[in-house]
Amino acid sequence: MFLRSFSKSNSRFIWFDLETTGFNPFHHNIIEIAAVDNFGNTFNELVSIGTNKLPKKITEITHITPEMLYGKPTIKNVLERFKEFLEIEPNKQKFIIGHNSYGFDMPFIKAKFKQCNIKFPTRLRELDTMRM
């Protein structure tokens, strides 16, 4: 009901997900960021982790292999592009939506933005579908 009460013309809804090498944003890495919005814009990038060591369990869960990450951009480059993606449609109210995003995705991505000295976009309202 909440999401249906906003018109497409004045709001932007961004659904996103991360794949990581573990649960701790200070010791593990993001290996993929994917997002889509209600206007059809998409973002999907794999991230180099600078090593061939990717836990086997992570490959089993995500189907991402070390070979897929070889030669991909650094986390800093991907986060800069993701920030640009988030800032599309600057005059619209923006909602960033994920499943378990309050407990995992948002703290993880904000920690990585901070580690890379990139300011996380403001004026984004966060929604967690797990809590809905």
Side-chain angles (χ1 to χ4, degrees), residues 106-120:
M106 291 308 295
F108 212 106
I109 201 152
K110 285 180 178 180
K112 293 304 177 185
F113 266 85
K114 187 169 183 145
Q115 287 173 2
C116 292
N117 292 317
I118 302 170
K119 186 174 172 22
F120 189 79

Side-chain angles (χ1 to χ4, degrees), residues 15-79:
W15 292 269
F16 84 110
D17 190 32
L18 303 178
E19 299 299 343
T20 67
T21 60
F23 296 109
N24 187 321
F26 303 102
H27 299 289
H28 296 111
N29 300 300
I30 294 173
I31 56 175
E32 183 178 30
I33 302 174
V36 62
D37 71 11
N38 56 316
F39 294 99
N41 299 305
T42 61
F43 184 93
N44 189 1
E45 290 211 30
L46 293 171
V47 181
S48 171
I49 57 173
T51 177
N52 288 335
K53 292 187 178 187
L54 185 63
K56 184 178 178 182
K57 187 70 174 171
I58 298 303
T59 297
E60 289 173 9
I61 294 167
T62 66
H63 302 286
I64 297 172
T65 64
E67 296 78 23
M68 293 169 68
L69 303 178
Y70 180 77
K72 296 299 179 188
T74 65
I75 187 62
K76 183 170 182 155
N77 291 336
V78 172
L79 290 176

